[in-house]
Amino acid sequence: MSAVSASEKVDGFTRKSVRKAQKQRKSQSSSQFRTQNTPIELSPLPQLKDAPSTDQQELFCQKLQQCCTLFDFLDSVGDLKSKEVKRAALNELVDYLSTNRGVLVENAYPEITNMISTNIFRALPPSDNPDFDPEEDEPTLEAAWPHIQLVYEFLLRFLENPDFQPSIAKRFIDQKFVLQLLELFDSEDPRERDFLKTILHRIYGKFLGLRAFIRKQINNIFLKFIYETEHFNGVAELLEILGSIINGFALPLKAEHKQFLMKVLIPLHTAKALSLFHAQLAYCVVQFLEKDPSLTEPVIRGLLKFWPKTCSQKEVMFLGEIEEILDVIEPSQFKKIQEPLFKQISKCVSNPHFQVAERALYFWNNEYILSLIEENIDKILPIMFSSLYKISKEHWNQTIVALIYNVLKTLMEMNCPLFDELTASYKTQKQREMIKEQERDELWKKLEELQVSRTSEIQNNSHGFPAALNNNNSNNNNNDPQESSGDVEATAVIMEDLHQDATDTACESVSCAK
Amino acid sequence: MAGADGDDSLYPIAVLIDELRNEDVQLRLNSIKKLSTIALALGVERTRTELLPFLTDTIYDEDEVLLALAEQLGNFTMLVGGPEYVHCLLPPLESLATVEETVVRDKAVESLRKISQEHSPVDLEVHFEPLVKRLASGDWFTSRTSACGLFSVCYPRVSSTVKAEIRQHFRTLCSDDTPMVRRAAASKLGEFAKVLELEYVKTDIIPLFTALASDEQDSVRLLAVEACVSIATLLPQEDLETLVMPTLRQAAEDKSWRVRYMVADKFSELQKAVGPEITKNDLVPAFQNLLKDCEAEVRAAAANKVKEFCENLPEDNREQIIMSHILPCVKELVSDTNQHVKSALASVIMGLSTILGKDNTIEHLLPLFLTQLKDECPEVRLNIISNLDCVNEVIGIRQLSQSLLPAIVELAEDAKWRVRLAIIEYMPLLAGQLGVEFFDEKLNTLCMAWLIDHVYAIREAATSNLTKLVEKFGAEWAQNTIVPKVLGMANDPNYLHRMTTLFCINALSEACGQEITTKQMLPVVLKMSNDQVANVRFNVAKSLQKIGPVLDSNALQTEVKPVLEKLASDSDMDVKYFAQEAISVNGNVLSLILSHVLLSHLHFHVHVFTFDV
């Protein structure tokens, strides 16, 4: 926002202060887009319970129509009387629907859905706080909640009514209705999202024809959240619904569902605000694996791909999820992923952040994981050994050091000869790594020299002499006599080439080289 | 050729590929970033036949590595043998254009767009266009979104049958099932329209534009607003009314504030694109509505555009439109409930005075400026003060000075130090516009008061403010008004204030010149070397070092040197340290003068020497 950036120029703290100032004034927001500013006058209709039963249906519809009037709740003093009339009417409607049978006749459906749509479907207002942090900040509450709450209540009673007939309702509760409902999940008001969650769940249960559509739209919301906006308030609620949906998937899983797992749920782990919905997400993932264990390998590989690099808090969550997965893993699946997985775990145990290291080391308190490790100790111990060994001497945190000693002890007991062997070869192993490192450096150095010579060939292909000078200089810097002579040879040949064919230096053909 | 033989034996491709496969992501990333080096070592043919297939096959990696790869491949044309072979780069880039991660995909598309220009028209049809088609009909949304960015680069250079196909693909993507794809298509709509023949803009683009602008998702609709600017620019004036305006009108009244916000944000561009006549008839009322929108966000965006909108109105009845249509809305915004709206307005409202002229400004705008100068939100007041120069040109600042003063005084004493800091920064500008007399009378006390602010940043800013004022008003003014006050603070009981004296001297010595520095400032500094607070004493040492270059060598020798020597044997470690530093630096100043002379001699000799050679 330009207004904000202007203020930032002046005062880096303004936002916070602005936020506070706004909160004092209003902590509520509403986005009923109203053009008319005329005062609205509602007069109370007679009570439903007092009306003769022949007139009740008519009166019911009149009340529904009356409740289609919208009020501005940011104006806390305007239309007070009429607001109260509508509130009372809504209350009565909720009550009427839940205590009477036979109320839901066919021609009431359009009136009911119209009243609901008019009230709840609205463009959500911009957040008061452009960088709203759901963990830190208080959410902005919906100002019109006194009415909207009752409308949601009414919708829920409508869906749960024993007389409710999906075959009639599907004409009104259609794809468009669901789409608008899903958009409301972005509401900052947790009370609203909670209602929406229950309502969407009921709709999913009752309207078989909408199920695929709902899943697809949730898919789209998540993809937009992951790859475009990184902002959507209702991810946790949607995941909660999905958790129970996944539970009911038939076996074998459809390709569509597997794709959802791999292309939506796993990438969801990359979100910055993972902590807000991680529990629900992990639940969904584990549900999938319990349904179809063969998905374990791709899931774990996916998690490893998105493993957090800088956010320790998220890393702890990932470790938690891995443990949940390991709790249900089949030994045959474990064998497939043990190597990449334990490479990551070995990095985690040596993490300087003690919470990460601690969380990873806690795996060794899990009986089932311990049995899996023991079964595969020949593979796992060599992966884990060097970082455990190193960190047992170096970690700054005493708790971690103590935990590591225990883990090392456990591992040693599992395979003592291998442990001794690894201890003995630890130093040579380190040295080998260092040598490899040096070799790599040298390789790149040589490649760069080559690049320099090639580039200067291109630049100087009409003056061979300076290029040669340049190359000899760079070769003289090389300390290894053998390598260096090889280089000189190579460059000398290149130089020859240069003189022979000054124009064709940049794009030499390699085909005749062999 | 023999040259390549040497490279070949030294760098077998296996080693290089090993590097690209290294377990450590960072090392893999480094290798990829030096991919051009590897390609150079391999030569063009092996790059084509071995390296590129390897890269195409192994595209499953960390997104970071893929991003680097996508970027590298955009610059690979010469390394595969020039434009003739550039199509070899398409397979790996095609795979990269389908990955999930947006940044990777975008980079792949960017590289594809780049190398598309290096294709010959034939290659474009044989290799590039089929790739675009494959992407456009891919299963997963990622490849289809990538395709959206590639139509416009190949369209101008292919045959008319292929052109028809491309248009068909674009149409399909505009009505894609996935909102992500529709968003990608909508965001490229304007760009694509620009490369189309006018007849197709009318028959193809307009229906797509209308459809996207009434999409069920507001995130799609708002992108159509952006496209509206380009489309309106392309069409002849007479078609705008029927082809574009209905959609634009609808967007300005969209039920989603995000769409209305976009309209407000793009208002100046839209105004230019549709021309003066439509602006008068349609955009003026639309703009009025946006200024009165129920969402503050939208009002703020519109308020930001007030000046630009007015400036671009057709001159013949600009004044009348502003006075009767825009100004009433602006007046309401001045007392808006939302401070972002007010401060957005405050940052542009002063610009209206140049458009409306002296009389209107005095009669209509001045009261608004004055109201905003008294606004409860400091940011609004600051925005007004920071734009004073616009009014100054039209009516002179004097008109405002009566209200300006209380506003400045209040900001100067604001509880938030950052607000105080901001107003200090405008002081030199204000001083220049208000003149020395007004300044001495009203603002000088403020400037001096900041010197004893309890926040260091304010004292520091106040010090540099003084320097700027002296630069503006001259050394004589400094001598009469501020130097005595600054020097007076040397006797303050608070050591922080005594230090401020030293900081001011550091800052002012150069602007005041040798005379004042030596005669008035130096004695005070020297006297402060006896201060009982060590912080003051070592700051004396620092000051002496600072003002050394301004002093004459006599004063340096006879007055400064003894004091520094005394401080160098101080009981406090820091004082000693800084005194010694000052001695060596001041010594250098003296020797520098000497060496300068010497150097110029040397230079002369060097020149002679080179000529001899």
Side-chain angles (χ1 to χ4, degrees):
Chain A
M1 283 329 64
S2 50
V4 174
S5 69
S7 82
E8 246 186 353
K9 237 182 351 197
V10 174
D11 179 357
F13 293 142
T14 302
R15 282 205 202 169
K16 211 180 232 168
S17 53
V18 163
R19 217 181 291 160
K20 271 187 201 149
Q22 273 182 347
K23 262 185 202 152
Q24 281 156 8
R25 239 176 299 152
K26 55 160 191 169
S27 61
Q28 298 192 317
S29 175
S30 184
S31 189
Q32 304 283 17
F33 184 43
R34 281 179 47 200
T35 37
Q36 83 279 15
N37 260 335
T38 46
I40 311 148
E41 204 61 59
L42 288 190
S43 43
L45 295 163
Q47 293 263 309
L48 274 163
K49 62 174 191 277
D50 301 337
S53 56
T54 46
D55 297 348
Q56 273 186 350
Q57 197 55 42
E58 174 66 28
L59 188 59
F60 180 62
C61 287
Q62 278 176 5
K63 291 210 178 224
L64 284 170
Q65 278 157 11
Q66 189 176 49
C67 290
C68 287
T69 318
L70 301 180
F71 295 94
D72 182 1
F73 272 83
L74 288 181
D75 176 7
S76 54
V77 288
D79 310 318
L80 276 181
K81 223 185 213 164
S82 299
K83 280 178 186 164
E84 178 52 30
V85 170
K86 177 171 170 181
R87 202 191 60 80
L90 281 168
N91 254 328
E92 214 191 332
L93 286 171
V94 171
D95 198 45
Y96 182 70
L97 198 61
S98 42
T99 51
N100 294 296
R101 292 296 303 263
V103 180
L104 283 183
V105 294
E106 188 165 348
N107 51 17
Y109 282 75
E111 298 283 353
I112 290 173
T113 45
N114 178 42
M115 190 278 281
I116 291 163
S117 310
T118 316
N119 277 283
I120 62 171
F121 295 149
R122 62 208 194 278
L124 292 169
S127 180
D128 262 358
N129 175 359
D131 30 32
F132 171 67
D133 176 359
E135 278 179 286
E136 292 272 325
D137 304 325
E138 285 291 312
T140 311
L141 298 177
E142 173 57 51
W145 192 245
H147 285 171
I148 289 190
Q149 177 185 17
L150 291 168
V151 178
Y152 276 124
E153 188 77 48
F154 183 74
L155 172 54
L156 201 54
R157 298 289 165 92
F158 171 59
L159 293 167
E160 288 173 347
N161 194 293
D163 297 331
F164 180 76
Q165 285 186 310
S167 54
I168 302 172
K170 75 178 180 196
R171 290 210 298 275
F172 311 103
I173 298 184
D174 53 1
Q175 297 194 346
K176 192 171 175 239
F177 187 94
V178 169
L179 197 64
Q180 295 182 82
L181 206 62
L182 281 168
E183 275 173 15
L184 291 174
F185 274 85
D186 194 22
S187 168
E188 238 179 74
D189 194 329
R191 302 168 300 183
E192 178 163 21
R193 295 201 304 271
D194 206 49
F195 260 116
L196 287 163
K197 186 176 72 189
T198 323
I199 288 164
L200 187 67
H201 196 249
R202 296 287 176 277
I203 293 178
Y204 191 88
K206 289 186 194 280
F207 296 85
L208 302 184
L210 286 172
R211 287 186 177 181
F213 179 79
I214 293 175
R215 287 198 306 269
K216 198 176 76 188
Q217 294 309 322
I218 293 181
N219 229 312
N220 287 340
I221 290 176
F222 285 166
L223 289 171
K224 183 180 174 195
F225 171 75
I226 301 166
Y227 295 116
E228 293 184 1
T229 56
E230 279 224 31
H231 176 90
F232 191 83
N233 289 315
V235 177
E237 282 81 3
L238 290 176
L239 282 170
E240 211 171 305
I241 298 171
L242 281 167
S244 67
I245 293 177
I246 295 165
N247 213 347
F249 281 165
L251 286 171
L253 288 177
K254 285 192 214 160
E256 174 213 327
H257 301 324
K258 289 186 189 171
Q259 189 184 49
F260 174 69
L261 170 67
M262 293 315 297
K263 296 214 163 186
V264 182
L265 290 186
I266 298 298
L268 258 183
H269 287 83
T270 58
K272 206 165 55 187
L274 179 66
S275 62
L276 294 173
F277 54 81
H278 181 253
Q280 290 85 345
L281 181 59
Y283 179 79
C284 287
V285 171
V286 173
Q287 286 285 305
F288 262 113
L289 298 187
E290 283 194 292
K291 285 257 161 196
D292 183 354
S294 73
L295 292 166
T296 313
E297 186 187 352
V299 162
I300 290 190
R301 285 193 187 276
L303 289 176
L304 292 176
K305 180 182 175 193
F306 294 129
W307 201 272
K309 296 208 170 45
T310 52
C311 182
S312 313
Q313 196 201 359
K314 269 173 75 174
E315 213 169 344
V316 172
M317 286 184 254
F318 269 58
L319 284 165
E321 186 168 349
I322 291 285
E323 185 164 0
E324 279 182 57
I325 293 173
L326 290 179
D327 270 333
V328 301
I329 202 168
E330 289 181 357
S332 59
Q333 295 296 327
F334 182 80
K335 283 194 191 347
K336 288 187 192 162
I337 45 82
Q338 56 185 359
E339 281 189 43
L341 177 63
F342 277 84
K343 274 179 189 158
Q344 182 57 56
I345 292 174
S346 97
K347 280 185 206 154
C348 292
V349 295
S350 49
N351 195 305
H353 196 303
F354 79 98
Q355 283 176 336
V356 175
E358 189 181 52
R359 186 68 192 83
L361 289 164
Y362 278 165
F363 281 15
W364 273 262
N365 293 344
N366 185 315
E367 287 297 324
Y368 183 59
I369 297 178
L370 220 51
S371 73
L372 290 168
I373 294 176
E374 183 155 21
E375 222 169 281
N376 301 284
I377 187 72
D378 303 351
K379 286 269 188 294
I380 293 172
L381 187 52
I383 299 171
M384 294 298 300
F385 183 79
S386 74
S387 53
L388 285 174
Y389 189 80
K390 184 163 160 262
I391 211 73
S392 67
K393 299 196 161 83
E394 286 175 6
H395 207 283
W396 61 272
N397 184 299
Q398 283 315 304
T399 322
I400 298 300
V401 174
L403 280 169
I404 291 218
Y405 269 114
N406 284 336
V407 168
L408 277 171
K409 203 167 136 248
T410 319
L411 290 173
M412 190 175 75
E413 283 160 6
M414 286 178 182
N415 188 341
C416 202
L418 177 61
F419 192 91
D420 291 342
E421 196 185 306
L422 288 166
T423 320
S425 64
Y426 178 77
K427 268 207 178 126
T428 43
Q429 181 71 31
K430 283 277 155 227
Q431 267 168 351
R432 212 175 302 146
E433 275 169 28
M434 254 168 62
I435 290 170
K436 224 180 150 191
E437 189 59 40
Q438 276 174 355
E439 278 174 1
R440 171 183 307 102
D441 279 353
E442 268 162 37
L443 170 76
W444 280 107
K445 230 182 260 166
K446 276 185 268 170
L447 281 176
E448 266 152 34
E449 278 163 22
L450 188 76
Q451 186 179 26
V452 170
S453 73
R454 291 271 172 118
T455 321
S456 50
E457 273 170 46
I458 295 167
Q459 282 168 354
N460 299 307
N461 57 4
S462 49
H463 329 267
F465 179 65
L469 205 79
N470 208 346
N471 276 305
N472 286 330
N473 280 345
S474 58
N475 283 320
N476 289 342
N477 295 336
N478 204 320
N479 294 329
D480 188 335
Q482 214 184 341
E483 294 281 358
S484 141
S485 69
D487 259 358
V488 172
E489 257 173 55
T491 1
V493 183
I494 294 172
M495 285 312 115
E496 250 179 59
D497 234 53
L498 262 167
H499 289 290
Q500 279 171 9
D501 189 359
T503 48
D504 184 30
T505 44
C507 321
E508 292 170 35
S509 163
V510 196
S511 57
C512 50
K514 279 196 169 169
Chain B
M1 253 172 263
D5 192 26
D7 313 339
D8 192 40
S9 54
L10 274 171
Y11 315 114
I13 187 160
V15 178
L16 302 175
I17 285 179
D18 241 26
E19 279 294 281
L20 293 172
R21 276 199 187 121
N22 198 302
E23 244 176 60
D24 187 330
V25 189
Q26 194 52 48
L27 292 174
R28 243 166 26 233
L29 190 60
N30 290 345
S31 316
I32 286 280
K33 282 185 175 159
K34 289 179 186 160
L35 202 59
S36 58
T37 312
I38 295 181
L40 206 58
L42 291 172
V44 291
E45 182 156 332
R46 299 194 70 188
T47 299
R48 287 200 299 268
T49 55
E50 293 174 53
L51 183 62
L52 287 178
F54 165 76
L55 291 171
T56 314
D57 289 343
T58 52
I59 292 182
Y60 173 82
D61 204 333
E62 299 266 341
D63 292 327
E64 219 179 334
V65 177
L66 297 184
L67 175 69
L69 178 60
E71 187 169 8
Q72 288 279 314
L73 291 178
N75 302 315
F76 242 54
T77 310
M78 287 320 285
L79 297 166
V80 293
E84 200 183 328
Y85 295 101
V86 66
H87 59 84
C88 299
L89 298 172
L90 296 179
L93 281 171
E94 180 174 354
S95 312
L96 288 168
T98 61
V99 303
E100 261 82 29
E101 180 50 52
T102 326
V103 287
V104 177
R105 241 186 304 137
D106 287 350
K107 191 52 94 181
V109 170
E110 195 185 313
S111 288
L112 279 170
R113 286 170 70 113
K114 206 162 159 189
I115 63 167
S116 74
Q117 303 307 318
E118 284 151 358
H119 281 70
S120 67
V122 176
D123 280 348
L124 207 61
E125 277 192 32
V126 177
H127 299 288
F128 198 88
E129 204 267 341
L131 170 144
V132 179
K133 262 193 251 175
R134 279 195 303 276
L135 287 176
S137 43
D139 282 340
W140 190 239
F141 80 96
T142 50
S143 69
R144 301 201 298 277
T145 45
S146 293
C148 292
L150 297 173
F151 294 120
S152 64
V153 290
C154 54
Y155 189 85
R157 293 168 62 214
V158 292
S159 67
S160 58
T161 36
V162 179
K163 280 185 176 178
E165 283 173 30
I166 292 180
R167 289 196 304 274
Q168 179 54 44
H169 279 295
F170 192 80
R171 268 200 297 276
T172 316
L173 293 184
C174 282
S175 53
D176 197 278
D177 203 27
T178 323
M180 279 78 73
V181 179
R182 293 202 302 279
R183 277 194 286 277
S187 67
K188 300 292 176 193
L189 185 65
E191 180 190 290
F192 189 54
K194 280 183 192 159
V195 297
L196 248 58
E197 298 79 359
L198 182 61
E199 51 170 318
Y200 294 121
V201 174
K202 287 188 202 169
T203 57
D204 281 43
I205 296 291
I206 295 296
L208 296 176
F209 167 62
T210 318
L212 290 169
S214 43
D215 195 274
E216 60 191 15
Q217 304 251 339
D218 60 357
S219 52
V220 178
R221 295 201 297 275
L222 65 89
L223 290 168
V225 174
E226 272 190 295
C228 186
V229 178
S230 327
I231 294 172
T233 326
L234 296 171
L235 291 173
Q237 189 70 34
E238 64 270 19
D239 290 329
L240 286 176
E241 182 52 50
T242 49
L243 297 181
V244 174
M245 286 317 290
T247 311
L248 182 56
R249 273 184 218 118
Q250 177 196 319
E253 286 170 5
D254 198 282
K255 69 177 191 323
S256 162
W257 64 271
R258 288 187 184 84
V259 179
R260 302 197 303 278
Y261 172 86
M262 195 55 134
V263 175
D265 196 48
K266 298 275 165 218
F267 217 83
S268 309
E269 287 95 324
L270 287 168
Q271 183 187 10
K272 278 179 203 143
V274 299
E277 212 39 50
I278 294 179
T279 297
K280 246 188 281 182
N281 300 333
D282 277 286
L283 293 194
V284 171
F287 194 60
Q288 284 175 290
N289 283 338
L290 291 171
L291 289 173
K292 288 186 233 161
D293 198 277
C294 65
E295 284 302 344
E297 214 90 354
V298 180
R299 290 200 300 279
N304 254 323
K305 302 284 165 188
V306 163
K307 182 192 155 205
E308 240 177 299
F309 181 76
C310 294
E311 253 171 8
N312 295 329
L313 284 170
E315 264 184 58
D316 47 348
N317 46 8
R318 177 160 72 187
E319 192 177 320
Q320 181 256 325
I321 294 176
I322 298 176
M323 296 306 293
S324 54
H325 298 289
I326 306 297
L327 205 60
C329 302
V330 169
K331 277 182 186 156
E332 270 176 53
L333 289 183
V334 164
S335 47
D336 198 278
T337 48
N338 184 295
Q339 60 169 346
H340 292 309
V341 177
K342 285 187 291 188
S343 79
L345 181 71
S347 64
V348 297
I349 191 174
M350 311 290 272
L352 290 180
S353 47
T354 24
I355 306 171
L356 287 178
K358 190 174 176 183
D359 295 338
N360 280 327
T361 302
I362 292 175
E363 192 182 339
H364 298 284
L365 293 178
L366 200 57
L368 303 183
F369 300 159
L370 297 178
T371 318
Q372 291 216 300
L373 268 179
K374 292 185 199 105
D375 198 275
E376 55 174 6
C377 165
E379 195 187 308
V380 176
R381 282 173 270 151
L382 265 177
N383 280 350
I384 290 287
I385 291 177
S386 58
N387 286 301
L388 278 176
D389 44 343
C390 314
V391 192
N392 194 27
E393 287 162 24
V394 182
I395 56 170
I397 212 161
R398 289 273 160 183
Q399 295 272 3
L400 276 174
S401 54
Q402 281 313 310
S403 312
L404 209 48
L405 195 65
I408 294 172
V409 171
E410 209 179 312
L411 287 171
E413 287 160 0
D414 196 279
K416 289 198 214 64
W417 66 268
R418 281 173 192 266
V419 174
R420 299 200 295 277
L421 187 65
I423 190 75
I424 294 176
E425 276 160 18
Y426 292 117
M427 268 302 147
L429 183 83
L430 284 172
Q433 279 164 8
L434 293 167
V436 73
E437 224 171 282
F438 185 89
F439 185 86
D440 280 345
E441 195 181 320
K442 315 275 187 189
L443 297 180
N444 197 15
T445 16
L446 277 181
C447 289
M448 300 318 289
W450 281 320
L451 288 175
I452 51 169
D453 197 280
H454 59 272
V455 175
Y456 176 74
I458 300 296
R459 297 198 297 274
E460 192 189 26
T463 313
S464 68
N465 173 44
L466 287 186
T467 321
K468 287 179 197 148
L469 290 175
V470 174
E471 279 161 10
K472 206 154 234 146
F473 293 149
E476 198 185 325
W477 173 80
Q479 192 174 8
N480 296 330
T481 48
I482 57 172
V483 171
K485 288 188 196 165
V486 166
L487 295 182
M489 279 163 61
N491 301 319
D492 197 284
N494 185 335
Y495 84 98
L496 291 171
H497 298 170
R498 297 202 294 280
M499 291 213 301
T500 307
T501 302
L502 291 170
F503 298 145
C504 285
I505 289 174
N506 294 348
L508 290 173
S509 60
E510 204 166 321
C512 288
Q514 201 182 58
E515 168 98 18
I516 300 177
T517 309
T518 317
K519 294 236 170 88
Q520 299 189 16
M521 295 178 176
L522 185 60
V524 177
V525 179
L526 294 175
K527 197 176 140 215
M528 286 169 87
S529 67
N530 298 320
D531 201 286
Q532 54 185 356
V533 178
N535 294 42
V536 177
R537 293 201 302 279
F538 76 63
N539 271 300
V540 166
K542 280 174 157 182
S543 288
L544 288 174
Q545 177 185 332
K546 269 261 171 52
I547 64 174
V550 185
L551 299 171
D552 60 59
S553 50
N554 186 27
L556 222 48
Q557 276 296 346
T558 58
E559 296 180 71
V560 174
K561 213 174 157 203
V563 172
L564 281 178
E565 273 162 2
K566 187 186 77 190
L567 288 173
S569 55
D570 198 278
S571 59
D572 186 275
M573 211 170 65
D574 294 320
V575 178
K576 257 190 225 168
Y577 172 81
F578 285 110
Q580 270 153 8
E581 197 183 69
I583 290 171
S584 74
V585 172
N586 278 345
N588 284 348
V589 170
L590 278 172
S591 57
L592 202 75
I593 300 167
L594 211 72
S595 61
H596 206 73
V597 181
L598 253 166
L599 256 176
S600 55
H601 273 286
L602 265 175
H603 265 296
F604 176 73
H605 283 294
V606 169
H607 277 291
V608 172
F609 178 68
T610 39
F611 272 115
D612 276 354
V613 168

